[in-house]
Amino acid sequence: MTAHARRTSGDLRDRAGGPGARTPSNSGAAVPVPTSPLPQGPLVHRLVPSPAGRVHLVEQGSGPLVLLVHGFPEGWYSWRHQLPALAAAGYRAVAVDVRGYGRSSRPAATDAYRVRELVDDAVAVVEALGERTAVVVGHDWGSSVASNAALLRPDVFRAVATLSVPYAPRGGPRPSTVFASMGGDEWFYVSYFQEPGRAEAEIEPDVRGWLAGFYAALSADTMPGPGAPSPYFTGPGGTLRERFPADRLPTWLGESELDMFAGEFERTGVSGALARYRAMDRDWEDLAAYDGARVTQPSLFIGGELDASTTWMADAIDAFPVTLPGLVSSHILKGCGHWVQQERPEDTNRLLTDWLAALPPAAC
């Protein structure tokens, strides 16, 4: 393991580590449905088989496979800026709708949303596309899926990049116990989401309005200022939305883009997306054998300076020399909030493509 260094350049605060490992898997196929053409070729929509039934994905470009996994409450469209950039750089970029979202399967059982199940979906995508290996990139909940995919299936996932949420090995008390102890008389948002039906009752009567407020609450240019009530908590009998900014969108989110996100959740509801929070205790049980486990493949982290994920989890970032011995670099984008690849697409694309270009070639 190399020493953990820090340096400053432009609007990035970087943390660097050392090199790591790589890996292989199988095959399958699906029928392409081309949409609007872009300079690097068309976006191609596919439905491919998965353990739950199907995964909807969107791909662009050719070359080594880069699998993009979104977080809450998003979808494949959150990678709209990365698909053409990665394609132009010589990669086969594939953004999925995670199980429970969009046109992917939405099982009813909460246990179906355990991270092991989502890793199985990721492997199924790689195989269905006829590839043996992939680089996996995740944001928010997708970061957890990506890091656990690298941990559980190093034969398939040869490198991993996490955005917003840093890798933290399984350990400590049961998650629901930890979250229930936060906030005193108030509800922490994770505990709020874990109660079946409660968040649905708040969100689904006005999906578009709720999403607009949630995106704004976590964006650098629209988040509540210092001293304002935290949008991550709600009082007894209250709602999260009461603390979201109203009547303004962050600069990265136009009306048509908000329509795209909202349209999907208006069609599917939000229970599938929220089930990920409700499966956290099961993850803790499933991954007991991986307590404190390191992810050894080449890795990258990109976080936002103003994102609560990077401040609450600063200890996890500081632990990267131990937990991510293959870390190539870690970057905190100044003046950036939670939606890293959408708030700062050019920086994110540059960091991703530079990192990818330096990786060892994929095994044949």
Side-chain angles (χ1 to χ4, degrees), residues 262-286:
E264 290 292 86
F265 288 110
E266 286 167 351
R267 181 174 58 80
T268 65
V270 296
S271 291
L274 291 165
R276 187 69 205 99
Y277 292 91
R278 296 164 187 170
M280 293 177 75
D281 280 357
R282 186 58 191 270
D283 291 342
W284 182 81
E285 296 166 0
D286 287 346

Side-chain angles (χ1 to χ4, degrees), residues 105-161:
S105 292
R106 295 188 302 281
T110 299
D111 272 3
Y113 296 88
R114 293 144 53 199
V115 75
R116 279 187 176 274
E117 300 281 346
L118 302 186
V119 169
D120 287 346
D121 283 349
V123 173
V125 168
V126 175
E127 294 178 347
L129 293 176
E131 303 286 355
R132 299 181 62 202
T133 64
V135 173
V136 61
V137 180
H139 170 256
D140 184 78
W141 266 124
S143 293
S144 176
V145 175
S147 56
N148 279 287
L151 179 66
L152 299 174
R153 293 302 304 269
D155 58 313
V156 178
F157 299 103
R158 63 190 183 93
V160 57

Side-chain angles (χ1 to χ4, degrees), residues 41-356:
L43 290 175
V44 177
H45 289 252
R46 300 179 187 267
L47 294 175
V48 302
S50 75
R54 69 183 181 274
V55 171
H56 170 244
L57 60 85
V58 180
E59 70 170 303
Q60 190 172 18
S62 61
L65 177 60
V66 180
L67 186 64
L68 305 168
V69 187
H70 67 81
F72 175 87
E74 301 173 279
W76 76 265
Y77 190 65
S78 65
W79 300 104
R80 62 196 175 280
H81 302 297
Q82 284 66 53
L83 288 164
L86 292 172
Y91 298 96
R92 186 181 189 184
V94 173
V96 299
D97 277 334
V98 172
R99 181 183 300 203
Y101 290 79
R103 284 189 269 163
S104 292
S105 292
R106 295 188 302 281
T110 299
D111 272 3
Y113 296 88
R114 293 144 53 199
V115 75
R116 279 187 176 274
E117 300 281 346
L118 302 186
V119 169
D120 287 346
D121 283 349
V123 173
V125 168
V126 175
E127 294 178 347
L129 293 176
E131 303 286 355
R132 299 181 62 202
T133 64
V135 173
V136 61
V137 180
H139 170 256
D140 184 78
W141 266 124
S143 293
S144 176
V145 175
S147 56
N148 279 287
L151 179 66
L152 299 174
R153 293 302 304 269
D155 58 313
V156 178
F157 299 103
R158 63 190 183 93
V160 57
T162 55
L163 279 59
S164 177
V165 176
Y167 174 61
R170 186 263 188 213
R174 185 177 292 272
S176 60
T177 302
V178 174
F179 296 127
S181 68
M182 299 175 65
D185 293 335
E186 295 192 324
W187 282 73
F188 186 49
Y189 81 100
V190 175
S191 297
Y192 185 86
F193 286 165
Q194 287 178 331
E195 186 174 327
R198 186 174 183 183
E200 287 93 331
E202 174 181 342
I203 299 168
E204 291 182 349
D206 180 15
V207 170
R208 193 179 191 279
W210 194 91
L211 288 176
F214 190 70
Y215 294 147
L218 277 62
S219 297
D221 59 340
T222 47
M223 62 177 53
S230 172
Y232 297 97
F233 293 87
T234 184
T239 64
L240 292 171
R241 187 174 178 177
E242 292 169 357
R243 300 186 179 184
F244 295 166
D247 304 321
R248 65 182 189 271
L249 292 179
T251 54
W252 61 267
L253 184 68
E255 296 286 349
S256 63
E257 293 166 323
L258 178 58
D259 287 343
M260 180 71 178
F261 287 119
E264 290 292 86
F265 288 110
E266 286 167 351
R267 181 174 58 80
T268 65
V270 296
S271 291
L274 291 165
R276 187 69 205 99
Y277 292 91
R278 296 164 187 170
M280 293 177 75
D281 280 357
R282 186 58 191 270
D283 291 342
W284 182 81
E285 296 166 0
D286 287 346
L287 299 175
Y290 294 88
D291 201 74
R294 304 184 304 164
V295 172
T296 60
Q297 293 96 315
S299 57
L300 169 73
F301 175 70
I302 308 172
E305 179 189 34
L306 303 179
D307 184 1
S309 298
T310 56
T311 53
W312 290 342
M313 300 185 72
D315 288 348
I317 296 173
D318 289 338
F320 280 169
V322 174
T323 61
L324 296 176
L327 184 70
V328 174
S329 60
S330 177
H331 309 266
I332 303 296
L333 304 186
K334 291 187 176 180
C336 182
H338 179 70
W339 316 104
V340 175
Q341 77 271 31
Q342 299 181 86
E343 290 188 54
R344 299 286 285 279
E346 292 183 2
D347 288 330
T348 300
N349 293 346
R350 175 173 55 81
L351 292 171
L352 281 174
T353 54
D354 287 352
W355 172 70
L356 288 164

